Amino acid sequence: MGISMNFPKILILIILFFIPLSDVAAQNYLDLGVGYVSGDFNTGVNSNLSAVTAELGYFGSENFFSAATSYLNLDTDGLDQQKGMGDTYLEAGYIYRSQNNNLRLLPSVTVKLPTADETKNLGSGETDIGAFLDIYKKCGSIICTVDLGYIFVGDPPGIDYNNILKLSVGGFVKFQQAGVTTYIQYNSAILDGRTDPIKLGIDWFYLFNLKTALYIDGIAGLNDAAPDYGIRTGIIKWF
């Protein structure tokens, strides 16, 4: 399956709870970033993955769409360094807002296209399909977040992967021109006999204006099956 650049998106939080809806209705965005993830994932073999990421999308008053891909550099102990394109992710979703605007639900479907080279361990070489539900609710001065997901994982020849259940629970606090999200994320193991990975994440962003934002995401593994650590930073531009 390969080590993955698995950071949650903070774009939805920025748009839904920071910028007035009238200013972001029916806008496109471009997200350009760089990231690094390291760990042995309870295998005894350490892997380091660096990536340049790009995401292009549309965010309207009721729907959102995006396409994302990356260029990867994988360095695994005892193996040759591997470079190449990562997988491509297509996502489409709906935005529900309660009447008082205190609750928002974002159901979505994501398709992973196997554009990464599986012979280099940059991807599985198979298509995955995921269904997700992001829940954002105002809880006093913070915004409570719950992210649920289920991924139907494609099986390469000779390998029987498990489908993946994802659960993330956290909170979001905004300041004058910035915001911070903290969360704990659980994923069910992709292979039988493996430990389910659990990690802690912190996302920070700064909004320069209604068109440009800077973000920094960090993760730390809470057990041996998760990455030891990871970091990603980038710029989001609306147009």
Side-chain angles (χ1 to χ4, degrees):
M1 187 71 172
I3 181 174
S4 65
M5 187 63 58
N6 184 20
F7 287 86
K9 294 187 303 182
I10 64 170
L11 175 64
I12 293 174
L13 281 172
I14 295 173
I15 291 178
L16 291 184
F17 291 105
F18 198 86
I19 307 175
L21 295 176
S22 59
D23 292 321
V24 298
Q27 287 203 28
N28 302 308
Y29 67 87
L30 177 64
D31 178 348
L32 297 175
V34 294
Y36 182 84
V37 176
S38 179
D40 67 2
F41 306 89
N42 207 23
T43 65
V45 179
N46 196 68
S47 294
N48 302 301
L49 178 71
S50 56
V52 178
T53 62
E55 178 175 322
L56 181 64
Y58 162 88
F59 212 99
S61 59
E62 294 184 349
N63 303 288
F64 61 96
F65 312 94
S66 67
T69 191
S70 58
Y71 185 82
L72 307 177
N73 185 337
L74 177 63
D75 188 3
T76 302
D77 290 348
L79 299 175
D80 293 336
Q81 192 176 66
Q82 303 291 348
K83 300 180 181 180
M85 292 300 300
D87 290 321
T88 299
Y89 293 84
L90 306 177
E91 182 178 18
Y94 173 76
I95 305 168
Y96 165 82
R97 302 177 177 88
S98 64
Q99 217 168 26
N100 59 9
N101 211 27
N102 287 334
L103 173 67
R104 304 198 182 181
L105 307 177
L106 285 82
S108 64
V109 174
T110 299
V111 177
K112 186 207 80 176
L113 302 179
T115 52
D117 189 343
E118 69 273 19
T119 65
K120 297 180 178 181
N121 203 31
L122 299 177
S124 67
E126 301 295 328
T127 299
D128 301 341
I129 299 176
F132 299 89
L133 175 61
D134 296 335
I135 304 171
Y136 306 135
K137 187 180 188 309
K138 291 184 179 179
C139 304
S141 60
I142 70 171
I143 296 167
C144 299
T145 66
V146 177
D147 302 324
L148 303 169
Y150 191 82
I151 302 174
F152 298 90
V153 180
D155 293 331
I159 301 178
D160 185 16
Y161 283 138
N162 296 324
N163 295 331
I164 298 176
L165 173 67
K166 301 173 72 75
L167 172 62
S168 177
V169 178
F172 171 72
V173 179
K174 63 179 182 178
F175 306 100
Q176 288 186 345
Q177 287 183 259
V180 176
T181 305
T182 59
Y183 63 91
I184 293 178
Q185 185 181 82
Y186 161 89
N187 291 357
S188 61
I190 195 169
L191 289 171
D192 291 337
R194 295 282 185 90
T195 303
D196 298 336
I198 303 173
K199 62 188 177 184
L200 171 70
I202 300 176
D203 305 332
W204 172 88
F205 76 85
Y206 180 82
L207 198 66
F208 293 104
N209 50 53
L210 294 179
K211 296 292 186 180
T212 308
L214 167 71
Y215 64 84
I216 301 175
D217 306 337
I219 57 173
L222 298 181
N223 62 9
D224 291 339
D228 292 339
Y229 64 91
I231 189 168
R232 184 182 66 165
T233 185
I235 294 285
I236 299 173
K237 184 72 176 180
W238 289 273
F239 57 93

